[in-house]
Amino acid sequence: MRPLLATLLFGLLVPSVALGQVALALTPAEADRTFRAANDACLNQDSKVCIEGYEKLLQAGYGGADLEYNLGTEYLKQGRLGFAVLHLERALRHDPNDADARANLEKAQRMRVDKLVGAPEETGGGEPLAAQLVSRTSGDRWALAFLLLWAFGGAALAARRLLSAFRHRTALLLAALCALLLALPCGVVTAIHVYVRESAHDAVVVVASVPVREGPRETYKSTFEVHDGLKVRVLDEENGFRRVRLANGLQGWVPTGDVTEISPR
Amino acid sequence: MPRLAAALLTGLLAALAPAGAAAADVEFFATTDRDEMGLDETLTLTVTVALDAGAGSEGEELRLPEAPDFEVLSRSKSQQTSFVMGRGPPSFRNSRVFSLILQPRHAGTCVIPPGRLVYRGKTYETGALRIKVVAGGVSRPGRRQPPPSTANPSQPFNPFGQLGNILGGQDPDAQELLNEFFGGGHPQASDSDLFLVAYLDKKQAYLGEQVTLAIYLYSRVDVTGIDGFKMPKLDGFWSEDTDTPKAQITGEPTTYDGISYRRFLLRRSALFPLKAGKLTIDPVEVEISTGFSLIIDGGRKLKRKTQTTSLEALPLPPGAPAAFETPNVGQWRLSAEASPTHVQLGQPVMLKITLEGAGNLHDVVSPRLPAIPGVTAYEPTLNEKTAMTKGRFGGRRVLEYLLKPEQSGAFEIPSLALHYFDPVAREYKAASTQAIPVRVEAGAGAAAGQAGGNRVALASPSGTNVLDQGIRALRFKGDLHRPAPPLYRRPFFAPIAAAPILLWLALATAGLLRSSLQPSAGSIQRGLAGKARRRLKVARALLKAKRPDEFYAEVSQALHCYLAARLAAPVAGLTRTDLSAKLAAAGAKPEIVAGVTALLDTCDAGRFAPGGSTSATMERVLESAEGLMVVLDGSRLAVTPLERAS
């Protein structure tokens, strides 16, 4: 019995320790130092060390708008548009109001090789409304607003029902109705966020150039070529290839490793 | 007559006296009127100093013999001028004769050591004199011949001898006039009439602590000017002159050793010891002009020196902080100010650090601004202004830094600290500044890129500073955190969103359960009425089954049940009279009350005498019961709600 118990405990302990080691790879103080050191390397024109520092923080599980912005900006300075767009897009996912990230992203897009003919931005249509809404608003804030208003409205109604002798039952009813009315648009925006994020998988081409094929194999014919920094929509995945769609509607298959999703699943 | 003689003498001198100075012949000798004496007798010591009248007394230092074997009973001095004609051109000589009356302290051989005269760089001494002192008296005192002075063995031939004395020696007025005329008649200031004193306000001081050195001139003669002031090297000190009278010195009356003098402040300096140990301050030398002549500016130029002073410089006590710099001694205050603290990228921030207080401002070491990541700090401009406050040397030093942020974001100008030693409190202290946060905004738009490199461009006219290629700058400070999943994916989102719905469902379920377990009065009534109708159905079945006794019992119970429901009160067990009264009290019409009573009587009769009942009779009874219920359904009865079943 005892050997069995010891084996069981050991079996539980080792993964715990291993998990603990991964989780404690960088303490917040160490992360801050790493960030500053990377900044200094950037100032000293040592781009390699700078990028390595930022990537190290990402691998340790850190993130945030500032880190993604700095990394994207440094990639942009080096002319590596794919990763620049990727990280700047991620920065905007964290903070849609980040003017610096948006400015640098626009700069990167202007530097892009691919100019999409018939793309909504070319025709003046711009992104779909839902996508624009998602990119310009914070899903977490709207979800939180919905949650709070919805919970308050429900609680007010329940309280009204339970407290039959309460003098201000009418006030409770009004408060509940107001909260539920306000919760409604918040819920709609939240639902849009959920839909776009869960259904729409945007990615960025991160290699200098890649042929887009008709099927998920190397043997398929290449119909056109895309270059780094181009934002695509991932529709499907098969056999190590991803079916992507460009903003102008063109579709095709590219190797999975040549495009990186902006929001990993 | 004496005045005529003076006029003749003037003409004679003008022809004979050369323009330059005569040879500086010096006579300096000491004599006694006896060389053997009794213990209780006195001795006269005569010291003679004879110099050329026109030679001046500059550089003269006279020290009369000090005779420890004797007690000085009295002193006197006399002066005379004589005309001398020798190998050189004739000249007048001034002689001063000092007479001291001495009394021996003991018998035996008593020695009078030599007197000393320093004149124009040469030292003259009288010879030592030995006096034999016996216990008793001596019949005849011996007269000692004056030994010649060591510098000038003989006096020049003076054919006119006492011409000066003959002309004016017997006439004090003439003598006075001659003295005034030739500018040598005023008595020369002795060391006791004119001297310098150096004052230090402390005997001990710490390294770097201020000590004040003041040089005063004490005078009992007329001082007409200070012509030369020579400070010593002051080895081991850092000095700052704090008080130097420039144009004119003014004296103040004072006393020194009980004697009245006029005192003149010649210099005041702040000294800061630079090394520990006994530090000597060499004498200060000053050339002083004294006296006045009608024709010749015969004010004497006298040289005087202060005494040698010393100071014990103490090393600083142990316990100095690690960041302490040795020159930082005094009382200091440190402040920092940055402006502006909210800038756009490319705009500079001016940081002003002010150090002020008391101490050696030129030597104190200001704290250096450490490197601030993401900010370029240029070398500061320095502005120093010294000041004397209540006798303490100090002032203010201002360092102005130009800071240029290289990134947008927030940074902090760190706190600076100056560790110093306070010699008054005798402890180490620290003066520090507060940290200053600065916010750097990115600025609007991107300026046109510049060619080459990825260096930070200078601020464009719009004030926006961007990197080359029109790229916004990196962020110096970042909010690093482990990204959390979206709110809607958090484990608490779904439960909270479903909570109101679930709560409503729970409340509804609870209500249903409650109503089923604890029926209300209305439901009880409805239940009873339903039960009554079900009993009528049972009665119809019994009718068909031709079971009259059970039929009538069922009809009776159905009617009772219905009446209990309508009256909301139990009626079982009531007599006909009570039941009729209850129905009447509830507002039932009399014919309804009569009908109910009659029907119940019929049921009772049928139950207890079932033989006389036929199917038709039972049919009519059943119809009557149903009809009564219908009528009562349509009647409004005033009822008391049934009590809930316990």
Side-chain angles (χ1 to χ4, degrees), chain A residues 60 63 66 69 98 100 150 198, chain B residues 472-473 475 481-482 489 497:
Chain A
D66 297 325
Y69 166 78
D98 191 336
D100 291 338
W150 173 251
E198 297 302 320
Chain B
R472 296 274 177 103
R475 286 187 188 143
H481 57 272
R482 296 179 193 278
R489 283 191 186 171

Side-chain angles (χ1 to χ4, degrees), chain A residues 9 41 44 46 64 104 118 120 136 143 149 169 193 195 230-231 236:
Chain A
L9 284 174
N44 294 328
D46 193 347
N104 284 355
R136 299 280 175 176
L149 290 167
R169 295 181 79 230
H193 271 271
Y195 169 75
L230 181 67
K231 190 173 168 185
D236 200 358

Side-chain angles (χ1 to χ4, degrees), chain B residues 185-209:
Chain B
H186 286 282
Q188 293 188 28
S190 68
D191 285 350
S192 61
D193 296 328
L194 187 73
F195 57 90
L196 288 173
V197 178
Y199 286 105
L200 277 177
D201 65 343
K202 295 185 178 73
K203 294 215 177 296
Q204 283 185 334
Y206 285 104
L207 280 182
E209 180 183 0

Side-chain angles (χ1 to χ4, degrees), chain B residues 230-304:
Chain B
K230 187 178 171 187
M231 281 289 282
K233 282 186 182 175
L234 295 174
D235 285 334
F237 290 98
W238 176 283
S239 69
E240 292 285 343
D241 289 338
T242 60
D243 209 340
T244 306
K246 298 281 187 208
Q248 196 174 1
I249 55 171
T250 53
E252 56 182 9
T254 187
T255 59
Y256 187 91
D257 272 355
I259 302 172
S260 297
Y261 289 89
R262 283 197 72 78
R263 186 175 74 172
F264 302 86
L265 172 65
L266 301 185
R267 183 72 58 93
R268 184 181 282 124
S269 301
L271 305 183
F272 300 90
L274 299 177
K275 57 183 181 182
K278 185 174 180 183
L279 303 177
T280 303
I281 299 171
D282 291 333
V284 176
E285 296 182 13
V286 182
E287 190 176 82
I288 306 150
S289 295
T290 65
F292 175 72
S293 167
L294 286 178
I295 296 180
I296 301 171
D297 182 11
R300 304 273 179 214
K301 288 189 188 298
L302 303 174
K303 279 195 177 176
R304 291 290 185 267

Side-chain angles (χ1 to χ4, degrees), chain A residues 134-182:
Chain A
V134 167
S135 66
R136 299 280 175 176
T137 59
S138 170
D140 280 356
R141 288 181 192 171
W142 283 95
L144 182 65
F146 161 73
L147 205 64
L148 292 174
L149 290 167
W150 173 251
F152 175 76
L157 281 178
R160 183 179 177 277
R161 184 176 171 82
L162 287 171
L163 303 173
S164 55
F166 188 52
R167 285 194 302 171
H168 304 294
R169 295 181 79 230
T170 308
L172 271 179
L173 177 63
L174 288 173
L177 288 175
C178 287
L180 291 173
L181 277 173
L182 290 172

Side-chain angles (χ1 to χ4, degrees), chain B residues 322-348:
Chain B
F324 174 74
E325 299 275 358
T326 306
N328 292 0
V329 176
Q331 286 136 349
W332 299 104
R333 294 180 302 281
L334 192 67
S335 61
E337 183 186 337
S339 175
T341 56
H342 192 172
V343 298
Q344 287 198 335
L345 195 57
Q347 290 178 335

Side-chain angles (χ1 to χ4, degrees), chain B residues 372-492:
Chain B
I372 304 173
V375 176
T376 299
Y378 295 92
E379 280 300 309
T381 56
L382 174 67
N383 195 319
E384 262 187 15
K385 187 175 178 184
T386 58
M388 281 291 293
T389 308
K390 296 180 181 176
R392 312 304 302 168
F393 181 81
R396 170 189 283 194
R397 176 191 291 171
V398 178
L399 291 163
E400 287 189 322
Y401 288 87
L402 177 73
L403 306 180
K404 193 176 76 155
E406 307 287 0
Q407 301 171 321
S408 59
F411 68 90
E412 191 176 76
I413 298 172
S415 165
L416 301 176
L418 174 79
H419 295 273
Y420 64 94
F421 177 74
D422 184 343
V424 175
R426 297 188 183 187
E427 61 182 7
Y428 292 96
K429 293 181 180 178
S432 58
T433 65
Q434 300 281 339
I436 303 173
V438 178
R439 179 86 194 152
V440 183
E441 299 293 344
Q450 297 179 10
N454 281 333
R455 299 168 62 183
V456 176
L458 295 174
S460 66
S462 65
T464 302
N465 189 26
V466 297
L467 298 173
D468 271 347
Q469 308 157 18
I471 300 171
R472 296 274 177 103
L474 296 175
R475 286 187 188 143
F476 158 69
K477 207 168 178 182
D479 179 21
L480 299 176
H481 57 272
R482 296 179 193 278
L487 197 67
Y488 63 84
R489 283 191 186 171
R490 308 273 181 92
F492 59 81

